[in-house]
Amino acid sequence: GAVVSQHPSRVICKSGTSVKIECRSLDFQATTMFWYRQFPKQSLMLMATSNEGSKATYEQGVEKDKFLINHASLTLSTLTVTSAHPEDSSFYICSARQGLAGGRSSTDTQYFGPGTRLTVL
Amino acid sequence: EDKVVQSPLSLVVHEGDTVTLNCSYEVTNFRSLLWYKQEKKAPTFLFMLTSSGIEKKSGRLSSILDKKELFSILNITATQTGDSAIYLCAVRRSWGAQKLVFGQGTRLTINP
């Protein structure tokens, strides 16, 4: 159980284009999803927290107009990198936290997707 | 500001050795500490620790938390080449804060 998928796994695009990355929880409902980026040989850096049906909360220094996040359902969140530039090239990882039935607080464990490697030429 | 520091940053040992990875933290209203293993792709969950002194064990891996001294260790005994990975430690604060704060990770290499 607790499987999270991401699509696409790898994308190469030209500078100035927009790229959409999908994150899905396959066998559970995710009330909260998180988007991270990871540069080579560095740890995960949280970009934003996405709650189903509400606006995402962005970390300091992350441009919300550049990294658009939509969490339209309990199993799907999308990250759109708008007008991508070479410095946006990175490994983008989502994670999902399972919500408990009856609206009680969710668990602490986050389950990660396999990641999306974005290369902007 | 919340801070998670892992040590060492890099470790190279021979197959069969035992390793201990460290994670110290400074977090307001600590709730839980999590260990993840990251190979080529996304991290996979290993342990979640919330109480001091209770060891969690899974095969050759074990972990324990000391909430008084604000640190955790991850032990791997009889290491194998498949244990080579980056090991990440993350903490979560209680109430309201949903996000995890990650340490820099320890890059473990097991040589045959």
Side-chain angles (χ1 to χ4, degrees), chain A residues 32 34 36 38 41-44 46 49 51 59 91 93 97 105-115, chain B residues 6 31-32 34 36 38 40-45 48 50 86 88 92 97-100 102-105 107:
Chain A
T32 307
F34 304 85
Y36 297 85
Q38 186 177 34
K41 297 188 179 180
Q42 293 189 27
S43 191
L44 281 75
L46 179 67
T49 302
N51 290 300
E59 294 299 301
F91 191 51
I93 309 175
R97 196 172 70 175
S105 61
S106 53
T107 67
D108 284 355
T109 306
Q110 291 184 21
Y111 298 95
F112 286 84
Chain B
Q6 290 184 246
R31 172 168 170 159
S32 57
L34 294 85
Y36 289 87
Q38 185 177 26
K40 289 185 179 176
K41 291 194 172 179
T44 53
F45 172 75
M48 184 177 75
T50 55
I86 297 173
L88 296 166
R92 182 188 167 189
Q98 302 181 66
K99 68 181 185 183
L100 294 177
F102 280 86
Q104 326 92 298
R107 181 177 292 275

Side-chain angles (χ1 to χ4, degrees), chain B:
Chain B
E1 187 182 332
D2 296 338
K3 196 162 47 171
V4 179
V5 177
Q6 290 184 246
S7 63
L9 293 181
S10 181
L11 183 59
V12 180
V13 300
H14 289 293
E15 204 168 18
D17 289 350
T18 294
V19 298
T20 299
L21 310 183
N22 303 293
C23 175
S24 64
Y25 61 89
E26 292 176 27
V27 172
T28 308
N29 296 321
F30 171 88
R31 172 168 170 159
S32 57
L33 184 145
L34 294 85
W35 283 97
Y36 289 87
K37 176 183 181 182
Q38 185 177 26
E39 295 173 89
K40 289 185 179 176
K41 291 194 172 179
T44 53
F45 172 75
L46 294 175
F47 299 111
M48 184 177 75
L49 304 156
T50 55
S51 302
S52 259
I54 299 175
E55 185 183 53
K56 294 229 173 169
K57 208 168 165 64
S58 175
R60 296 176 293 103
L61 277 67
S62 63
S63 184
I64 198 161
L65 174 68
D66 185 330
K67 288 166 76 173
K68 185 180 174 188
E69 299 297 329
L70 307 182
F71 80 92
S72 173
I73 59 171
L74 174 69
N75 273 325
I76 309 175
T77 59
T79 52
Q80 302 171 358
T81 54
D83 295 326
S84 296
I86 297 173
Y87 290 84
L88 296 166
C89 168
V91 298
R92 182 188 167 189
R93 289 184 284 145
S94 64
W95 62 271
Q98 302 181 66
K99 68 181 185 183
L100 294 177
V101 179
F102 280 86
Q104 326 92 298
T106 294
R107 181 177 292 275
L108 177 63
T109 303
I110 311 296
N111 288 327

